[in-house]
Amino acid sequence: MADLDQLLGYGAIGLSLALAIVAFRLLRSEQKLRGSRPSMLAAIYAFMGVSLLLAAAGVFAQVKRTQSEANRTQSAEPWWRPGAWTADDFSAVLKATRAKIAGGLALVESTTGEMGMPIAFASEQCKIYFAMTKPPAEIDVSVEVTEFAVVTAFGRAPHISFGRICLKKDRTYGAVLSVKMMKGSAPFVAEAYELR
């Protein structure tokens, strides 16, 4: 029975398996008797039916939980949409990503294509940057700054990179956000937003 105790740690599916094992043991012990007891057999079959219903409910609940977690991750981070993207998918994900990363901030620089994007700074200014391409293409993003700037990367995946660049007090300088296609060929966008 120690094994049955461990099965309970797996939730409804483990409980239903434990009940099925108990039903099997009851049937086996009933078969050892000389005469069959119809009322006992009916009770065992009812017990087995309940354990099968519980197993089905456990599987259904697990599938729903997995779907819910996938939807929550996708809505929290729209750039994690699975599979290959169409042009419309890329536009929708780009719009959702802009809203998530830079919602309400003023766009100050933007570019597409394989080149560096200069980003100008005033003293003590911070900007949010992101670059994204359409999967399965992959990009590499680098930020070139002097020792007077601090770059903090918030997220990076093969098709997206985003973070913050801040300039220290009493300095004015620019940074260069460079994007290179590493795999495939697809459109990409690089943008910088001013933090208020």
Side-chain angles (χ1 to χ4, degrees), residues 15-71:
L15 177 61
S16 64
L17 180 59
L19 292 175
I21 291 170
V22 170
F24 170 76
R25 288 182 178 175
L26 285 172
L27 277 174
R28 191 172 62 183
S29 65
E30 188 65 25
Q31 286 176 343
K32 289 181 182 178
L33 298 176
R34 287 189 172 178
S36 64
R37 299 180 292 181
S39 62
M40 187 60 146
L41 287 175
I44 293 172
Y45 288 133
F47 185 74
M48 285 180 9
V50 168
S51 66
L52 288 174
L53 285 174
L54 187 57
V59 169
F60 179 75
Q62 184 62 38
V63 167
K64 284 298 190 186
R65 184 179 309 123
T66 302
Q67 288 173 346
S68 174
E69 288 171 1
N71 290 340

Side-chain angles (χ1 to χ4, degrees), residues 48-119:
M48 285 180 9
V50 168
S51 66
L52 288 174
L53 285 174
L54 187 57
V59 169
F60 179 75
Q62 184 62 38
V63 167
K64 284 298 190 186
R65 184 179 309 123
T66 302
Q67 288 173 346
S68 174
E69 288 171 1
N71 290 340
R72 193 176 322 117
T73 300
Q74 185 174 340
S75 64
E77 297 175 345
W79 51 88
W80 286 113
R81 179 179 284 188
W85 298 357
T86 65
D88 291 339
D89 289 339
F90 181 65
S91 296
V93 171
L94 183 59
K95 181 179 178 182
T97 301
R98 282 181 179 132
K100 179 75 176 176
I101 293 175
L105 300 178
L107 177 66
V108 290
E109 282 100 8
S110 170
T111 189
T112 59
E114 292 191 38
M115 63 182 84
M117 179 178 72
I119 305 173

Side-chain angles (χ1 to χ4, degrees), residues 121-127 148 165-173 195-196:
F121 284 90
S123 180
E124 295 186 61
Q125 187 178 36
C126 290
K127 294 186 178 178
F148 305 118
I165 307 168
C166 292
L167 193 63
K168 295 180 181 179
K169 187 176 182 177
D170 299 329
R171 301 288 178 186
T172 57
Y173 189 75
L195 284 171
R196 297 178 189 138

Side-chain angles (χ1 to χ4, degrees), residues 79-81 85 90 131-142 155-162 178-189:
W79 51 88
W80 286 113
R81 179 179 284 188
W85 298 357
F90 181 65
M132 186 169 77
T133 190
K134 180 175 146 276
E138 295 179 5
I139 56 174
D140 181 49
V141 177
S142 62
R156 188 177 193 100
H159 67 286
I160 186 170
S161 181
F162 59 96
S178 298
V179 181
K180 293 180 184 168
M181 294 301 293
M182 300 303 289
K183 176 182 162 191
S185 175
F188 77 82
V189 174

Side-chain angles (χ1 to χ4, degrees), residues 141-162:
V141 177
S142 62
V143 181
E144 300 166 25
V145 295
T146 68
E147 69 273 8
F148 305 118
V150 177
V151 178
T152 306
F154 294 143
R156 188 177 193 100
H159 67 286
I160 186 170
S161 181
F162 59 96

